[in-house]
């Protein structure tokens, strides 16, 4: 049974590492960014609402994201565990998640914080070239991260649920550290 939350700035390599680890642990990789991008591509109602926020580097409002996560965590494939990537991203989202996990009796094992320096992040994001990876949007996403998401580090640290991993290393070295943590 593996239940993990991945935290870290945009460009930390969360998505890549989360996908690898989820496969290894045989649990679904739940990425809110991926779910939202798919909704935008599909042109669904959710996608139409989310698009403007995402393109501007803003967070999508909670009324769009909370239902989505509640619904996703009620699907049968989550019984064996899950790996959350990109959620929670704000303290209110973390509080919502905590209540939800209590309710469904699925406590999180721990929260992984992928720690990466600012210049490394910027260089990686500029290389990636996704639709929301234009420099001004990237800078805004980083600012949103510092203001709204970074407080989650203290939120989880004070609950003794936080584990930090050095994300400045090569992908392989980060993954090795993660695997060691999970297999312990
Ligand atoms: P990154 O890790 O590079 O920030 P993500 O794929 O996690 O990218 O997210 C892309 C975008 O999707 C975010 O900039 C935001 O607009 C939206 N998004 C994803 N998850 C959330 C969330 N939990 N709450 C609000 N918006 C979200």
């Amino acid at each position: 049974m593996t239940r993990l939350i991945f935290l870290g700035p945009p460009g930390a390599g969360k998505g890549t590492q989360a996908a690898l680890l989820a496969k290894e642990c045989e649990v679904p990789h739940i990425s809110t960014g991926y779910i939202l991008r798919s909704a935008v591509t599909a042109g669904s109602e959710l996608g139409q609402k989310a698009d403007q926020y995402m393109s501007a580097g803003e967070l999508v409002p909670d009324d769009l994201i909370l239902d989505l996560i509640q619904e996703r965590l009620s699907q049968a494939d989550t019984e064996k565990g899950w790996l959350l990537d990109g959620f929670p991203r704000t303290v209110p989202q973390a509080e919502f998640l905590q209540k939800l996990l209590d309710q469904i009796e699925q406590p999180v094992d721990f929260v992984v914080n992928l720690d990466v320096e600012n210049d490394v992040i910027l260089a990686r994001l500029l290389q990636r070239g996704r639709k929301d990876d234009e420099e001004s949007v990237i800078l805004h996403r980083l600012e949103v991260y510092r203001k709204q998401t970074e407080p989650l580090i203290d939120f989880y640290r004070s609950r003794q649920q936080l584990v930090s991993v050095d994300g400045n290393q090569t992908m392989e070295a980060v993954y090795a550290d993660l695997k060691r943590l999970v297999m312990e």
Side-chain angles (χ1 to χ4, degrees):
M1 177 68 64
T2 311
R3 297 192 193 106
L4 296 176
I5 295 173
F6 265 56
L7 275 187
K14 264 186 323 216
T16 313
Q17 299 291 346
L20 286 169
L21 201 62
K23 203 165 169 207
E24 172 84 29
C25 300
E26 298 180 8
V27 295
H29 169 210
I30 303 178
S31 157
T32 44
Y34 178 80
I35 296 172
L36 291 170
R37 273 189 297 280
S38 308
V40 172
T41 307
S44 67
E45 200 184 324
L46 170 68
Q48 286 177 28
K49 286 184 186 154
D51 193 16
Q52 48 176 320
Y53 298 99
M54 296 173 73
S55 314
E58 295 284 344
L59 294 185
V60 163
D62 279 356
D63 61 332
L64 296 184
I65 211 92
L66 298 183
D67 283 353
L68 182 155
I69 211 78
Q70 182 155 15
E71 203 265 329
R72 184 64 189 87
L73 285 175
S74 72
Q75 286 172 25
D77 65 342
T78 60
E79 269 165 30
K80 293 205 183 90
W82 35 255
L83 208 155
L84 285 183
D85 161 18
F87 186 93
R89 240 186 174 83
T90 62
V91 171
Q93 287 183 7
E95 285 166 345
F96 172 88
L97 181 65
Q98 191 139 316
K99 274 193 214 125
L100 176 65
L101 297 180
D102 282 349
Q103 230 173 53
I104 59 179
E105 298 179 7
Q106 294 193 7
V108 63
D109 298 341
F110 50 85
V111 179
V112 177
N113 177 39
L114 264 188
D115 217 351
V116 187
E117 283 159 26
N118 237 344
D119 351 341
V120 177
I121 292 171
L122 204 59
R124 285 189 191 164
L125 288 173
L126 284 169
Q127 249 175 27
R128 195 163 70 175
R130 208 171 67 192
K131 191 181 154 208
D132 54 351
D133 282 344
E134 196 212 313
E135 188 163 2
S136 62
V137 179
I138 290 174
L139 290 174
H140 188 59
R141 285 200 353 250
L142 282 174
E143 196 186 308
V144 168
Y145 168 78
R146 300 281 172 225
K147 274 204 197 119
Q148 306 205 56
T149 309
E150 211 166 47
L152 290 182
I153 294 177
D154 281 339
F155 179 94
Y156 286 118
R157 189 182 284 132
S158 68
R159 285 164 177 74
Q160 269 115 44
Q161 290 177 312
L162 194 82
V163 182
S164 273
V165 169
D166 179 5
N168 299 294
Q169 315 174 82
T170 62
M171 228 177 79
E172 290 78 13
V174 174
Y175 187 58
D177 281 358
L178 281 170
K179 245 170 92 172
R180 215 170 302 129
L181 264 177
V182 173
M183 304 304 164
E184 260 170 19

